Amino acid sequence: MIDEHFNHMARQMQERRQQKLYGDPLFRVLYMPLWYQSKGDLSPVEAWQEALMVIDEIKATDIGIRHLEVARIVDKLLLRYSTFDNRERKDELAAHSMMMVMATVMFMLGEASHSWKENPHRRLCLNISGVLSRIGGFKQLCNDVRESERRTVDDEGPLPVRDFIGDKSIDLGQLPTFTDDEIRRAGLNTSHPLAVLQAMHIMKTRMTADNDWIAIYIVLIEREIIARTMTAFCAMVNDVFSLSINSRYLSATLRDHGEDFDKWNKAYDDQRRHIELARQFRSVLDKLAKGVL
């Protein structure tokens, strides 16, 4: 759901999320091109997060009409960016913000295949490009992204193929192993603790902020795999995954969201992301444990 009102992310939150996103090869490619366009507009982190919101909107749309729904999504974004923090903006500024976000969506969808002709989202990308070609800054952004990608490929090799819309498959051969001692220390109340830890590892790679762990916590509580103790949960995560999640910070996130998962609100960026992560975690758990958890 794309809300009508946009509010800038707090600077501290942006900085934390940016450090996480530096680990994403596509974000590294897009960062400087988006930064060049960001003066008085969305930051690269905000453009990325807004693009993920649009991706969720596309996922919820029937696959046969997604390319047509581009027009509706564009209209919703123009309305959303007509104000920043409840301050009105000119139409051309709203259009530029929309361009940054939809271009990021287009670049994300472009990673679904090595071959452009075989890309499952080719028609969708063409419609996005057709709309954005009429917006100032789009041509320069594309040129900057091509140059940034060329340098990245030269230094790091080709970008990985990823389908931001399609369901992420699980490569069983790439799942980590955990020692008996690590499994014991995790203290999980299930007959399949290894599957739970492996599912948590998979979700860790999809997170962009420390508070994303709230999605894992809420599902484990829902399935009675852990006790309702945030301190113990964070201690377990930090021990097993060598992290430093702050239990007070995560408790504050839970207070902000509310303990009733069904009442989490998609109108808020963090809650919408955490709802999606919880949905993915349930799916991964079920696939790894064959539905017996």
Side-chain angles (χ1 to χ4, degrees):
M1 175 182 176
I2 299 176
D3 186 62
E4 292 182 2
H5 306 288
F6 173 80
N7 294 300
H8 283 293
M9 294 169 59
R11 181 179 295 276
Q12 188 177 23
M13 180 179 291
Q14 285 205 50
E15 290 175 352
R16 287 199 304 266
R17 193 158 298 168
Q18 185 166 306
Q19 292 302 314
K20 293 280 188 180
L21 286 172
Y22 280 153
D24 189 293
L26 180 60
F27 181 78
R28 292 199 300 272
V29 167
L30 299 182
Y31 179 76
M32 289 305 298
L34 288 172
W35 182 82
Y36 294 140
Q37 301 271 347
S38 67
K39 307 310 177 185
D41 210 311
L42 302 171
S43 70
V45 172
E46 289 174 325
W48 181 274
Q49 292 302 126
E50 293 286 293
L52 292 176
M53 173 187 68
V54 172
I55 291 289
D56 285 342
E57 184 90 357
I58 293 172
K59 283 182 180 179
T61 303
D62 185 88
I63 192 170
I65 61 170
R66 285 174 177 171
H67 63 292
L68 300 176
E69 285 288 273
V70 167
R72 181 183 62 84
I73 291 173
V74 164
D75 285 341
K76 292 179 75 170
L77 291 180
L78 289 173
L79 176 60
R80 178 172 171 81
Y81 304 135
S82 64
T83 60
F84 269 9
D85 300 319
N86 295 318
R87 293 193 301 271
E88 291 190 6
R89 306 173 73 223
K90 295 180 179 179
D91 290 347
E92 56 267 30
L93 295 179
H96 187 265
S97 301
M98 179 277 294
M99 181 276 293
M100 291 178 68
V101 172
M102 290 303 292
T104 302
V105 170
M106 183 184 70
F107 296 132
M108 287 175 167
L109 300 182
E111 299 303 301
S113 173
H114 280 308
S115 169
W116 171 241
K117 290 184 178 180
E118 296 176 1
N119 190 302
H121 312 304
R122 183 170 179 266
R123 197 175 184 187
L124 182 55
C125 289
L126 288 172
N127 276 16
I128 293 174
S129 178
V131 172
L132 300 188
S133 65
R134 295 162 171 80
I135 307 296
F138 177 62
K139 182 177 180 181
Q140 185 61 54
L141 178 60
C142 289
N143 289 338
D144 290 341
V145 169
R146 278 194 292 269
E147 179 59 22
S148 177
E149 183 173 8
R150 183 190 64 77
R151 292 195 299 267
T152 298
V153 170
D154 287 346
D155 293 342
E156 304 176 19
L159 270 64
V161 173
R162 286 185 295 171
D163 191 342
F164 281 82
I165 289 182
D167 291 332
K168 299 176 177 66
S169 60
I170 299 173
D171 185 350
L172 297 178
Q174 295 299 316
L175 290 176
T177 57
F178 293 88
T179 66
D180 290 342
D181 184 54
E182 288 172 328
I183 293 173
R184 179 188 57 77
R185 296 202 313 269
L188 302 174
N189 182 30
T190 172
S191 57
H192 297 271
L194 177 59
V196 175
L197 292 178
Q198 290 175 330
M200 291 171 68
H201 168 81
I202 290 170
M203 296 308 301
K204 179 169 70 76
T205 67
R206 303 180 184 182
M207 295 180 184
T208 59
D210 285 351
N211 68 358
D212 289 351
W213 282 97
I214 200 65
I216 308 304
Y217 174 80
I218 206 71
V219 172
L220 294 179
I221 290 294
E222 172 186 81
R223 300 196 176 192
E224 300 182 343
I225 294 174
I226 60 172
R228 192 180 291 272
T229 309
M230 187 65 75
T231 302
F233 169 72
C234 291
M236 180 268 289
V237 169
N238 294 339
D239 177 33
V240 176
F241 296 98
S242 300
L243 298 175
S244 56
I245 307 300
N246 187 291
S247 62
R248 290 184 179 179
Y249 174 54
L250 214 58
S251 293
T253 301
L254 184 61
R255 287 194 300 272
D256 180 60
H257 288 18
E259 295 199 12
D260 187 346
F261 174 78
D262 292 329
K263 293 183 179 179
W264 287 8
N265 193 340
K266 289 186 177 181
Y268 298 102
D269 292 343
D270 272 7
Q271 293 188 37
R272 179 177 57 251
R273 188 175 74 259
H274 296 158
I275 290 169
E276 173 61 17
L277 286 171
R279 183 194 67 78
Q280 292 180 21
F281 185 43
R282 289 194 194 100
S283 175
V284 171
L285 274 175
D286 291 339
K287 288 178 181 178
L288 290 181
K290 296 184 169 70
V292 298
L293 286 171

